[in-house]
Amino acid sequence: LETQEDDTERADLTGKLLQLGGLYRRQNDYDRAEKLFEEVLEYEPENRDAIEGLEELNRARGDYDSVVDYLARQLSLIEDTEKSIALKREIAETYYFELDDPDSALDYFEELVAEDIETSSDVVETLERLQEIDEYTRRASELLEPIYRNQQDSAGLAETFEARLETLSEDTERIELLRKLIELYRHELEDSTRAFELATEWFELDSDNSEVWQLLEDIGASLSRLEEVESRFDEAISEESPTETDLEL
């Protein structure tokens, strides 16, 4: 290619090199194929056929670090949204399934969800698996939330909120999520028993909040559990009331 000064001649030679490289690749002669594809890229760094050829032969070799590199190079050259989404999905799945790198996979899943809320069921299933791993629960849960909302999947949304709840240590964050869960269980899933359990947890975290007092009473009444509610209210008041010793002082 270096000796070809005429653009037409260079394009013709490039086509022949790519064709021969493809032939070598199909015959599993990866070293020769790689040499030809790399020669093309040396003079045409954005040649998609050469990049795709190198990605495919490295996949055949099982060199998945190189595969994601060449997929990323393809991605940088693509403007079509649909093709971009497909490539990001492929990169994410390669990181997850082949390279055991959930963090990098989640980086691409995050971009996917932002661009394609109606993402494939395969992506959802992978995120659900990641949600079950403590280290990745919160991040996967946050990606699943908009997907479930778009699908109007209240059960899936409740499940992902429940999983995320286990990762939260700050009371304010837990209360915010408890409020969402209670709303889901009461009005979407019609599970007042679980809503009552969650309202009780909220009450234990924030017994000064009048909202949760009323909520606990309303749900308790619907379940005929007002005696339990009264007991909790009495206990909260007694903890706040001054003792006789305090009054004497």
Side-chain angles (χ1 to χ4, degrees):
L1 282 176
E2 185 177 10
T3 62
Q4 303 299 316
E5 296 182 358
D6 182 82
D7 289 343
T8 302
E9 291 180 356
R10 176 172 290 183
D12 182 60
L13 182 55
T14 295
K16 291 176 180 177
L17 290 174
L18 290 170
Q19 184 175 357
L20 183 56
L23 180 60
Y24 282 140
R25 178 176 55 77
R26 288 192 296 276
Q27 293 177 334
N28 301 328
D29 192 343
Y30 301 134
D31 290 339
R32 286 185 178 180
E34 183 176 48
K35 184 177 180 180
L36 293 174
F37 291 142
E38 287 180 344
E39 183 177 350
V40 171
L41 289 181
E42 185 176 351
Y43 295 97
E44 296 183 21
E46 296 185 354
N47 188 292
R48 295 182 187 179
D49 290 329
I51 294 170
E52 288 177 11
L54 286 165
E55 178 255 311
E56 290 171 0
L57 73 83
N58 278 288
R59 187 180 296 277
R61 285 171 168 168
D63 181 358
Y64 290 100
D65 285 305
S66 295
V67 168
V68 293
D69 286 343
Y70 286 114
L71 287 172
R73 286 181 68 173
Q74 292 177 53
L75 182 62
S76 69
L77 300 173
I78 288 178
E79 296 181 359
D80 180 82
T81 301
E82 188 174 338
K83 291 180 180 179
S84 172
I85 288 170
L87 272 174
K88 287 178 180 178
R89 182 182 299 119
E90 190 172 358
I91 294 170
E93 291 176 348
T94 301
Y95 271 123
Y96 181 70
F97 290 108
E98 305 297 347
L99 293 174
D100 192 23
D101 185 351
D103 287 302
S104 295
L106 282 164
D107 288 340
Y108 280 93
F109 283 134
E110 188 173 341
E111 292 186 31
L112 270 176
V113 173
E115 294 178 23
D116 181 28
I117 194 63
E118 297 181 358
T119 191
S120 72
S121 58
D122 289 343
V123 170
V124 176
E125 289 174 7
T126 303
L127 288 172
E128 287 171 341
R129 283 196 291 270
L130 282 165
Q131 183 177 250
E132 295 175 0
I133 304 171
D134 291 345
E135 185 179 354
Y136 306 107
T137 297
R138 182 166 184 173
R139 195 172 175 196
S141 165
E142 289 172 348
L143 293 178
L144 284 167
E145 179 180 349
I147 296 173
Y148 289 141
R149 287 193 185 281
N150 181 67
Q151 295 174 348
Q152 298 183 327
D153 183 352
S154 297
L157 194 57
E159 184 176 343
T160 203
F161 283 167
E162 294 267 17
R164 193 188 310 169
L165 189 64
E166 296 300 314
T167 72
L168 303 179
S169 57
E170 294 291 330
D171 287 354
T172 53
E173 289 184 314
R174 291 185 66 82
I175 289 168
E176 181 182 355
L177 195 54
L178 284 167
R179 184 184 278 109
K180 292 179 181 179
L181 271 167
I182 293 166
E183 183 76 11
L184 269 174
Y185 280 115
R186 287 188 76 192
H187 302 297
E188 301 293 334
L189 298 173
E190 299 182 350
D191 185 348
S192 294
T193 299
R194 183 57 181 151
F196 185 78
E197 293 170 352
L198 294 166
T200 299
E201 182 177 345
W202 179 4
F203 185 80
E204 291 172 352
L205 291 172
D206 190 20
S207 60
D208 291 333
N209 188 320
S210 59
E211 179 186 354
V212 72
W213 280 63
Q214 187 61 56
L215 186 62
L216 197 57
E217 181 177 346
D218 291 345
I219 303 173
S222 73
L223 295 170
S224 300
R225 294 174 68 173
L226 282 178
E227 288 186 7
E228 186 177 340
V229 174
E230 290 170 4
S231 175
R232 292 186 180 278
F233 287 177
D234 286 340
E235 184 179 346
I237 290 172
S238 65
E239 289 177 356
E240 293 179 7
S241 300
T243 64
E244 291 183 11
T245 303
D246 293 329
L247 291 173
E248 289 174 1
L249 292 175

